[in-house]
């Protein structure tokens, strides 16, 4: 889930920039320091949008820069357990599909995609069912639920998000549309 958060952090202003300690400079330094980072409490920091307040500078021994505490707004992405998310398949592997949900990818294990057996087709980068001819491949839009979440602040790339698409109303968007059309046709025929 995307959120707007008011945060505080300390930023080092290098000596050559001390003549112009402005909100724009501090915003740029905060963007370089924080964007793309993962934090257990706020999630992934997508963008620093506005600097509200810059505190007094602090000089530390043997450090060339001056440190300023800043109060700022940021857009964050914090996936919540049981949250339903829409994403796009970014990679298909033998054991499932990686789904881009915001700035992170979640794993949709092959056992969590469908009740049907899905075979891996490496040549076409897709998972395919022999029963219904349904396929799931790169660039497919999918709706899934977050079922596991393990955030690694030090190395965000090692964070893990597990997904499921086996429940009603979840799955590849094309499958959901087909299911909806079948239900409407059945309702009209009654």
């Amino acid at each position: 889930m995307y959120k707007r958060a008011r945060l505080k952090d300390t930023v080092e202003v290098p000596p050559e920039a001390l003549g112009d300690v402005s909100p724009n400079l501090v915003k740029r330094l905060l963007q370089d320091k924080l964007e793309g980072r993962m934090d257990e409490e706020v999630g992934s920091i997508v963008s620093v949008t506005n600097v509200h307040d810059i505190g007094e500078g602090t000089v530390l021994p043997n450090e060339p820069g001056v440190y300023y505490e800043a109060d700022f707004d940021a857009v964050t992405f914090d996936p919540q357990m049981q949250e339903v998310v829409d994403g796009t398949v970014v990679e298909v592997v033998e054991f499932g599909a990686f789904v881009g949900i915001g700035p992170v990818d979640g794993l949709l294990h092959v056992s969590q995609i469908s009740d049907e057996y899905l075979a891996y087709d490496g040549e076409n980068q897709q998972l395919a069912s022999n029963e219904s001819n349904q396929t799931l491949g790169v660039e497919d839009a999918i709706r899934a639920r977050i079922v596991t979440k393990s955030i690694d602040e030090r190395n965000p790339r090692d964070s893990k998000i597990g997904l499921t698409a086996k429940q009603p109303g979840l799955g590849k968007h094309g499958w959901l549309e087909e299911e909806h059309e079948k239900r409407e046709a059945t309702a009209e025929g009654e």
Side-chain angles (χ1 to χ4, degrees), residues 117-185:
Y117 173 75
L118 297 174
Y120 176 64
D121 176 0
E123 187 176 313
N124 295 310
Q125 280 286 292
Q126 64 183 9
L127 296 165
S129 166
N130 290 335
E131 298 171 39
S132 63
N133 292 327
Q134 290 183 330
T135 63
L136 181 67
V138 175
E139 299 290 318
D140 285 344
I142 191 161
R143 178 168 295 145
R145 180 182 306 281
I146 297 172
V147 291
T148 60
K149 174 178 132 173
S150 173
I151 303 300
D152 185 337
E153 291 181 33
R154 282 186 276 241
N155 193 357
R157 289 256 174 238
D158 289 341
S159 297
K160 293 173 178 57
I161 297 174
L163 305 170
T164 185
K166 283 182 90 166
Q167 298 160 338
L170 303 179
K172 180 178 168 180
H173 286 190
W175 302 343
L176 297 173
E177 290 165 9
E178 289 171 14
E179 194 177 298
H180 181 71
E181 289 170 6
K182 284 180 190 174
R183 275 198 313 269
E184 281 187 347

Side-chain angles (χ1 to χ4, degrees), residues 32-122:
D32 291 345
K33 177 182 176 184
L34 299 174
E35 288 181 0
R37 298 267 167 88
M38 190 71 79
D39 179 277
E40 186 68 44
E41 291 181 26
V42 298
S44 177
I45 297 176
V46 178
S47 178
V48 174
T49 57
N50 190 22
V51 174
H52 294 285
D53 187 41
I54 303 168
E56 292 294 316
T58 303
V59 177
L60 298 178
N62 299 322
E63 293 290 329
V66 177
Y67 292 83
Y68 291 88
E69 188 170 273
D71 187 26
F72 60 95
D73 289 332
V75 175
T76 64
F77 179 77
D78 187 16
Q80 300 295 308
M81 292 293 291
Q82 304 307 319
E83 180 180 1
V84 174
V85 293
D86 286 308
T88 304
V89 175
V90 294
E91 183 181 6
V92 177
V93 292
E94 214 167 306
F95 54 86
F98 288 96
V99 179
I101 51 170
V104 296
D105 293 345
L107 172 63
L108 184 58
H109 191 270
V110 68
S111 67
Q112 295 297 311
I113 297 172
S114 169
D115 288 327
E116 299 177 19
Y117 173 75
L118 297 174
Y120 176 64
D121 176 0

Side-chain angles (χ1 to χ4, degrees), residues 22-39:
S22 65
N24 283 338
L25 171 68
V26 172
K27 177 181 173 183
R28 198 169 62 249
L29 293 169
L30 286 166
Q31 288 170 331
D32 291 345
K33 177 182 176 184
L34 299 174
E35 288 181 0
R37 298 267 167 88
M38 190 71 79
D39 179 277

